[in-house]
């Protein structure tokens, strides 16, 4: 009996052209979350930020661009690199958290869905191509892939396009030093049904920790009590508790997915994890290895882009995957037969992991 698995047949991404370096924040006025001005000089604040997060630069969209625009570019990139006819796509799943936001306002626009907008802009006529959105925090794109896997393995779909697109720069409070984390970007994959049985998604696991941790990332007013538009809400996080949560829970979810797949950590060639904070991701990997009584001495196991791309939420993992698959990351390659972990954690608090064999 043939085993149907979901395989990646194309990847695509869009990395915005506008670069914002850490030094560009020197002219900002930063406040604590309780509205008290931070008295440290900005050079000290910025350097401490770089030491903690590993971020030196980030990318933001052009004023005329919105999330659906850059999601479209990532999708077109995946389609062009594969030669796939868009009319043959059964599902378009778009992960995001804030919809389309016009430059100058952080009010969201999600009607119609971003997936519907992208399907429209792709010119897909087929009404059986179902288009919908997934708001699931930073793990949204990974969850979209998991949903596509369910459709494919059930026989409901043969081909799915999963996109992650976000413009976090437009929900960032310029008076909050955490705003230096956020960036914009988009990534996409096309999955197909395969009867090969040896390649594709082997297993996955998702959890939502809402009782104690739902509000670790949430929308709140500006840290500046005299901000220009007091009615605006911005993305805020409890960084310390989020860090502690991720270190405790993410390794357990990854291990659960590995156990379901029947794959040992020693067999994993790459860990593609959401790029939120390089020290946190390194600590998660270390905790994961400790669960197996192992130590990691492979410096290429967990490729990172956060230092120059920042945290683009749902776009970090598909962008990373696309860069590796297209040979755009030095010393990073994925070969046929490689087992790879794909994982994310974010608002909710949601965690997910996929075990994939190339």
């Amino acid at each position: 009996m043939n085993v149907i698995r979901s395989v990646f047949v194309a990847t695509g991404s869009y990395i915005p052209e506008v670069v914002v370096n850490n030094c560009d924040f020197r002219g900002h006025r930063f406040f604590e979350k309780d509205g008290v001005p931070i008295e440290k000089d900005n050079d000290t604040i910025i350097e401490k930020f770089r030491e903690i997060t590993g971020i030196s630069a980030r990318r933001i969209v052009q004023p005329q661009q919105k999330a659906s625009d850059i999601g479209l570019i990532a999708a077109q990139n995946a389609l062009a690199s594969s030669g796939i006819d868009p009319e043959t796509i059964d599902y378009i799943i778009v992960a995001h958290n804030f919809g389309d936001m016009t430059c100058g306002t952080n009010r969201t626009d999600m009607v119609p869905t971003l997936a519907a907008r992208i399907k429209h802009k792709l010119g897909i006529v087929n009404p059986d191509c179902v288009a919908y959105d997934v708001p699931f925090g930073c793990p949204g794109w990974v969850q979209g892939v998991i949903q596509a896997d369910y459709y494919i393995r059930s026989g409901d779909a043969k081909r799915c396009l999963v996109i992650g697109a976000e413009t976090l720069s437009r929900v960032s409070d310029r008076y909050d030093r955490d705003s230096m984390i956020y960036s914009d970007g988009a990534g996409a994959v096309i999955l197909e049904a395969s009867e090969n049985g040896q390649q594709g998604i082997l297993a996955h696991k998702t959890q939502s920790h809402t009782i104690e941790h739902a509000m670790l990332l949430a929308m709140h007013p500006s840290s500046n009590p005299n901000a220009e538009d007091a009615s605006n809400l911005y993305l805020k996080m409890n960084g310390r508790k989020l860090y502690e949560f991720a270190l405790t829970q993410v390794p357990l979810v990854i291990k659960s997915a590995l156990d379901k797949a029947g794959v040992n950590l020693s067999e994993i060639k790459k860990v593609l994890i959401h790029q939120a904070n390089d020290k946190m991701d390194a600590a998660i990997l270390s905790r994961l290895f400790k669960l197996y009584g192992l130590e990691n001495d492979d410096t290429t196991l967990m490729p990172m882009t956060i230092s120059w791309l920042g945290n683009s939420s749902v776009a970090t993992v598909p962008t990373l995957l696309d860069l590796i698959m297209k040979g755009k990351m030095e010393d990073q390659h994925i070969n046929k037969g490689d087992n790879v972990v794909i994982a994310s954690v974010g608002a909710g608090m949601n965690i997910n992991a996929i075990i994939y064999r190339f």
Side-chain angles (χ1 to χ4, degrees):
M1 179 178 172
N2 292 333
V3 177
I4 295 176
R5 296 198 188 279
S6 305
V7 299
F8 297 143
V9 292
T11 63
S13 64
Y14 174 71
I15 297 173
E17 297 175 0
V18 179
V19 180
V20 178
N21 294 303
N22 285 0
C23 61
D24 295 321
F25 291 89
R26 284 177 175 164
H28 285 221
R29 186 74 172 101
F30 294 116
F31 291 74
E32 300 285 3
K33 288 179 173 54
D34 60 4
V36 176
I38 299 175
E39 297 304 329
K40 294 178 183 177
D41 66 273
N42 278 9
D43 282 343
T44 301
I45 293 171
I46 292 167
E47 179 56 24
K48 184 66 174 178
F49 166 84
R50 187 198 61 78
E51 290 176 0
I52 292 172
T53 65
I55 299 173
S56 298
R58 71 285 296 140
R59 301 298 181 100
I60 66 171
V61 294
Q62 300 281 357
Q64 73 275 13
Q65 291 179 311
K66 299 178 184 178
S68 64
D69 296 320
I70 63 175
L72 171 68
I73 296 171
Q76 290 172 327
N77 186 234
L79 288 163
S81 66
S82 63
I84 289 172
D85 179 0
E87 293 292 340
T88 65
I89 294 172
D90 297 302
Y91 282 89
I92 299 175
I93 304 170
V94 178
H96 65 89
N97 294 287
F98 299 101
D100 276 352
M101 289 176 284
T102 301
C103 184
T105 175
N106 67 359
R107 288 171 172 78
T108 62
D109 174 6
M110 292 187 279
V111 180
T113 64
L114 269 59
R117 298 177 198 205
I118 291 172
K119 179 184 175 183
H120 170 76
K121 292 174 182 178
L122 287 172
I124 298 174
V125 177
N126 179 14
D128 289 327
C129 172
V130 178
Y132 70 92
D133 293 358
V134 176
F136 197 68
C138 292
W141 177 84
V142 177
Q143 197 63 24
V145 171
I146 290 171
Q147 291 184 4
D149 179 54
Y150 280 125
Y151 292 134
I152 289 171
R153 288 193 294 113
S154 72
D156 186 51
K158 292 184 178 179
R159 184 173 285 160
C160 299
L161 169 62
V162 184
I163 303 165
E166 201 78 270
T167 53
L168 289 183
S169 64
R170 292 181 183 167
V171 288
S172 300
D173 177 12
R174 70 186 311 274
Y175 299 106
D176 184 348
R177 57 192 157 187
D178 287 343
S179 66
M180 293 187 284
I181 292 174
Y182 304 126
S183 65
D184 307 333
V189 294
I190 300 174
L191 296 97
E192 282 187 2
S194 171
E195 295 184 358
N196 178 294
Q198 300 302 310
Q199 294 174 290
I201 295 175
L202 304 181
H204 44 72
K205 176 66 177 177
T206 303
Q207 288 185 345
S208 295
H209 296 251
T210 60
I211 295 298
E212 296 181 12
H213 306 290
M215 304 309 292
L216 294 185
L217 277 157
M219 303 300 289
H220 294 286
S222 172
S223 297
N224 181 356
N226 300 310
E228 297 83 355
D229 190 344
S231 66
N232 277 352
L233 297 177
Y234 302 92
L235 183 60
K236 301 286 182 173
M237 68 177 178
N238 186 326
R240 182 175 295 277
K241 288 189 176 180
L242 194 156
Y243 187 96
E244 293 170 354
F245 168 84
L247 259 61
T248 301
Q249 302 298 337
V250 175
L252 297 175
V253 171
I254 295 175
K255 186 177 186 303
S256 179
L258 285 165
D259 291 345
K260 287 174 69 176
V263 175
N264 190 275
L265 182 61
S266 62
E267 302 174 79
I268 294 297
K269 300 299 183 182
K270 285 284 181 286
V271 176
L272 309 184
I273 194 166
H274 169 51
Q275 310 283 293
N277 176 318
D278 68 351
K279 282 187 171 56
M280 183 178 81
D281 288 347
I284 288 171
L285 187 64
S286 178
R287 290 280 186 96
L288 177 62
F289 269 80
K290 285 182 180 179
L291 292 177
Y292 287 84
L294 301 172
E295 290 187 9
N296 174 40
D297 58 2
D298 183 356
T299 58
T300 67
L301 181 66
M302 187 174 67
M304 302 294 291
T305 58
I306 192 170
S307 65
W308 61 287
L309 291 182
N311 176 358
S312 56
S313 183
V314 295
T316 67
V317 178
T319 299
L320 174 63
L321 176 62
D322 183 54
L323 289 172
I324 295 172
M325 296 305 292
K326 291 179 178 171
K328 296 181 179 180
M329 288 192 70
E330 188 176 354
D331 298 325
Q332 291 293 342
H333 309 281
I334 296 176
N335 302 309
K336 184 177 180 180
D338 283 355
N339 294 316
V340 175
V341 170
I342 299 171
S344 189
V345 58
M349 292 292 291
N350 298 314
I351 311 169
N352 47 24
I354 295 170
I355 311 304
Y356 188 95
R357 180 173 295 150
F358 281 85

